[in-house]
């Protein structure tokens, strides 16, 4: 069965950096686009970033553009999110999510990880 | 930028009730819309894609309709396991979620 397992969350001071990982199994990772979605405590869902199945295209929400970088290593079935210049408002549970479509992306998310909490605070 | 507005933000209902949640897009998005269910402490679950296409394994009491700017999620007969928060999400441009609609027990 499809499994997505995030790791790398934790507490960091404002201005700091963190790298999240998402290890995938149960499907052919290199065939699907992947996304990061976050949820601040008690708030709604916010899409963060997308990467094409082959890593050749990325998209970012305006709120993280220039600070966050999505990447993937298809040989390791792993998705990453490098987060720099972190702010208080980046505090959230971060989910990785699989795009539903084979190869071409349609931006529907059919499988999600359990999430990893990032806390930005001094 | 496209804005997504969900209503109501919360609804109290009883088991067996019919519940309808509405999602409005600030501009036309054809049928590029999904619905998700999220329970406390859990990841969201995809219920419906392409406005009305029910995901495998999702009970048939869930249905979606609409096109353009107005969409609805209907639960025909609310079950105890349906109490949750529901989100719409447009996939026409950059993915964007609505604010959520919490279905609570009356």
């Amino acid at each position: 069965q499809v499994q997505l397992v995030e790791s790398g969350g934790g507490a960091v001071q404002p201005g700091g950096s963190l790298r999240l990982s998402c290890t995938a199994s149960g499907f052919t990772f290199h065939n699907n686009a992947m996304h990061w979605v976050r949820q601040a405590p008690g708030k709604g869902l916010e899409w963060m970033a997308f990467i094409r199945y082959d890593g050749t295209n990325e998209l970012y929400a305006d709120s993280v553009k220039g600070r966050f970088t999505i990447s993937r290593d298809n040989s390791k079935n792993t998705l990453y999110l490098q987060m720099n210049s972190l702010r208080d408002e980046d505090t959230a549970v971060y989910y990785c999510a699989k795009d539903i479509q084979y190869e071409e992306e349609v931006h529907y998310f059919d499988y999600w990880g359990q999430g990893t909490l990032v806390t930005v605070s001094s | 930028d496209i804005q997504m507005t969900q209503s109501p933000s919360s609804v109290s209902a009883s088991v067996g009730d019919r519940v309808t949640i509405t999602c409005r897009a600030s501009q036309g998005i054809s049928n590029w819309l999904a619905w998700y269910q999220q329970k406390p402490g859990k990841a969201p679950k995809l219920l419906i894609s392409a406005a009305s296409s029910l995901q495998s394994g999702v009970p048939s009491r869930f249905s979606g309709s609409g096109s353009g700017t107005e969409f609805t999620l209907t639960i025909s007969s609310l079950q105890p396991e349906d109490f949750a928060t529901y989100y719409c999400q447009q996939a026409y441009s950059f993915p964007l979620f609505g604010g959520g609609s919490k279905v609570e027990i009356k």
Side-chain angles (χ1 to χ4, degrees), chain A residues 35 37 39 43-47 59-62 65 95 100 105-110 112-115, chain B residues 1 31-34 36 38 42-46 49-51 55 87 89 91 93-95 97-99:
Chain A
H35 302 260
V37 178
Q39 187 169 35
K43 303 296 184 183
L45 300 168
E46 181 186 16
W47 171 82
L59 294 172
Y60 297 93
D62 287 346
K65 197 178 298 182
Y95 295 100
I100 196 173
E105 58 276 1
V106 295
H107 300 322
Y108 297 132
F109 318 126
D110 61 345
W112 298 61
Q114 84 287 353
Chain B
D1 291 356
N31 69 336
W32 288 97
L33 188 102
Y36 298 83
Q38 187 180 33
K42 300 294 187 182
K45 174 186 176 182
L46 178 63
S49 62
Q55 291 303 110
Y87 294 92
Q89 176 238 322
S93 59
F94 284 55
F97 292 91

Side-chain angles (χ1 to χ4, degrees), chain B residues 26-103:
Chain B
S26 59
Q27 64 187 74
I29 59 170
S30 184
N31 69 336
W32 288 97
L33 188 102
W35 291 97
Y36 298 83
Q37 175 193 68
Q38 187 180 33
K39 296 181 179 179
K42 300 294 187 182
K45 174 186 176 182
L46 178 63
L47 300 176
I48 289 168
S49 62
S52 60
S53 180
L54 200 66
Q55 291 303 110
S56 174
V58 175
S60 59
R61 63 181 179 273
F62 291 92
S63 64
S65 65
S67 183
T69 62
E70 187 152 334
F71 303 85
T72 59
L73 171 70
T74 299
I75 310 171
S76 60
S77 178
L78 199 64
Q79 298 301 301
E81 61 268 28
D82 301 336
F83 292 97
T85 300
Y86 294 84
Y87 294 92
C88 63
Q89 176 238 322
Q90 67 89 0
Y92 182 79
S93 59
F94 284 55
L96 179 67
F97 292 91
S101 296
K102 187 174 184 179
V103 178

Side-chain angles (χ1 to χ4, degrees), chain A:
Chain A
Q1 71 281 21
V2 173
Q3 274 200 308
L4 298 170
V5 179
E6 300 97 338
S7 60
V12 61
Q13 292 189 335
S17 298
L18 214 53
R19 188 175 86 153
L20 306 183
S21 300
C22 169
T23 303
S25 60
F27 68 103
T28 307
F29 181 71
H30 63 253
N31 282 345
N32 289 84
M34 295 294 295
H35 302 260
W36 287 99
V37 178
R38 72 182 179 185
Q39 187 169 35
K43 303 296 184 183
L45 300 168
E46 181 186 16
W47 171 82
M48 292 285 91
F50 146 88
I51 187 165
R52 202 162 179 254
Y53 70 98
D54 56 4
T56 58
N57 191 28
E58 305 156 26
L59 294 172
Y60 297 93
D62 287 346
S63 58
V64 303
K65 197 178 298 182
R67 299 189 299 124
F68 290 12
T69 302
I70 189 172
S71 62
R72 65 191 297 160
D73 185 337
N74 285 344
S75 69
K76 296 181 178 180
N77 287 355
T78 303
L79 175 74
Y80 302 100
L81 185 67
Q82 178 66 44
M83 304 186 295
N84 298 331
S85 303
L86 283 161
R87 306 166 179 167
D88 290 352
E89 56 265 34
D90 294 320
T91 294
V93 173
Y94 285 73
Y95 295 100
C96 62
K98 171 184 165 291
D99 200 288
I100 196 173
Q101 183 72 15
Y102 173 85
E103 287 196 352
E104 295 306 316
E105 58 276 1
V106 295
H107 300 322
Y108 297 132
F109 318 126
D110 61 345
Y111 288 94
W112 298 61
Q114 84 287 353
T116 187
L117 176 62
V118 173
T119 303
V120 184
S121 174
S122 53

